[in-house]
Amino acid sequence: MVMSGEKPRPGTAEHAAPAASAVPAPMSLRERKKRLTYQAVSDAAIAMFLERGFDKVSVAEVAAAADISKPTLFRYFAAKEDLALHRFADHEDEAARVVAARADTESPLDALRRHFLDGLERRDPVTGLCDAPEVLAFLRLLYGTPSLVARLYAYQGRSEAALARALGDRVRDRLAAGQVIAVQRILALENWRRIDAGESADQAYGSAVEAAELAFVQLRSGIGEE
């Protein structure tokens, strides 16, 4: 089994952390404005990337379109690739949040399985099982641009680290987090490939659920070798 259902004992630091994060602090006006700026600049950049291709649009052009200076843009986005991948930012700690918010009777792996299956049912783009035209266009941009794929791995690395911390941040927790994030990435990519090949999300749904169930069984049992 790659992760235990055991939760930290009351009174320990591990037990206190999820409780503190269960009720997020109210967002300040400054933070709300900052997030709106992030979103507006990212949306403008993605529109340009989709129209002309990622490599044919300069950062200076994005800054001009967003009516900000290039140095200001780089204060919001560390790299050009982040302009396109900003919409993944909210998902970086998603697995960690699912684990932290689970019921006392639910194991981390069961909570993650439930959440992923729910995402498939909702056709969440993060699961790859979404055939909305705007999502298809974005995913074709993403997977068709090597630098964006490479940058995506950095986002997934942060997801892995956040999940490991939510599990306890021991060596076995880091190993488990790496396996979970890799499984979710592979499942999403397989779903996307089916959609890109011409299947609708509804047509691919049954196979996507079957693959997800198989993946979580394998996470629970390991590869089955002594």
Side-chain angles (χ1 to χ4, degrees):
M1 181 181 294
V2 300
M3 66 175 65
S4 169
E6 180 182 354
K7 301 184 81 170
R9 296 184 303 276
T12 64
E14 292 89 345
H15 182 270
S21 63
V23 181
M27 191 181 300
S28 67
L29 177 61
R30 181 179 180 181
E31 183 62 24
R32 287 198 299 271
K33 288 182 176 179
K34 186 176 181 181
R35 289 201 176 191
L36 287 172
T37 300
Y38 269 115
Q39 192 64 52
V41 175
S42 177
D43 287 348
I46 290 171
M48 297 173 74
F49 296 153
L50 290 173
E51 180 181 359
R52 293 163 49 194
F54 180 81
D55 294 326
K56 294 182 179 179
V57 177
S58 70
V59 172
E61 289 176 300
V62 174
D67 198 25
I68 59 175
S69 68
K70 187 174 175 180
T72 298
L73 184 147
F74 277 122
R75 286 201 292 270
Y76 284 95
F77 298 93
K80 179 183 175 183
E81 289 77 11
D82 293 331
L83 288 162
L85 294 175
H86 169 65
R87 56 183 58 183
F88 281 91
D90 288 341
H91 296 281
E92 279 191 12
D93 64 346
E94 186 170 309
R97 285 187 275 113
V98 168
V99 167
R102 76 192 191 279
D104 290 341
T105 55
E106 189 174 35
S107 74
L109 192 59
D110 285 340
L112 291 164
R113 170 189 169 275
R114 169 181 51 77
H115 183 74
F116 192 85
L117 292 174
D118 179 64
L120 291 177
E121 187 173 358
R122 291 184 288 106
R123 308 297 191 261
D124 188 333
V126 171
T127 68
L129 192 71
C130 183
D131 54 8
E134 64 275 16
V135 173
L136 286 175
F138 175 77
L139 291 178
R140 287 184 179 122
L141 171 72
L142 169 61
Y143 291 121
T145 308
S147 62
L148 289 177
V149 173
R151 189 68 172 176
L152 182 60
Y153 279 108
Y155 282 71
Q156 292 168 337
R158 292 192 288 271
S159 296
E160 182 182 317
L163 177 55
R165 289 192 296 271
L167 293 170
D169 217 15
R170 299 158 294 187
V171 172
R172 75 181 200 180
D173 300 319
R174 293 192 287 274
L175 289 169
Q179 292 175 69
V180 168
I181 298 302
V183 160
Q184 292 181 340
R185 173 182 60 80
I186 292 168
L187 288 172
L189 184 56
E190 289 301 313
N191 291 337
W192 152 247
R193 285 173 174 164
R194 294 176 71 103
I195 300 296
D196 192 44
E199 289 189 54
S200 70
D202 289 345
Q203 289 171 331
Y205 176 70
S207 296
V209 169
E210 184 179 350
E213 293 284 21
L214 174 64
F216 279 94
V217 167
Q218 188 164 314
L219 279 172
R220 193 181 304 279
S221 61
I223 61 175
E225 294 182 357
E226 296 295 333

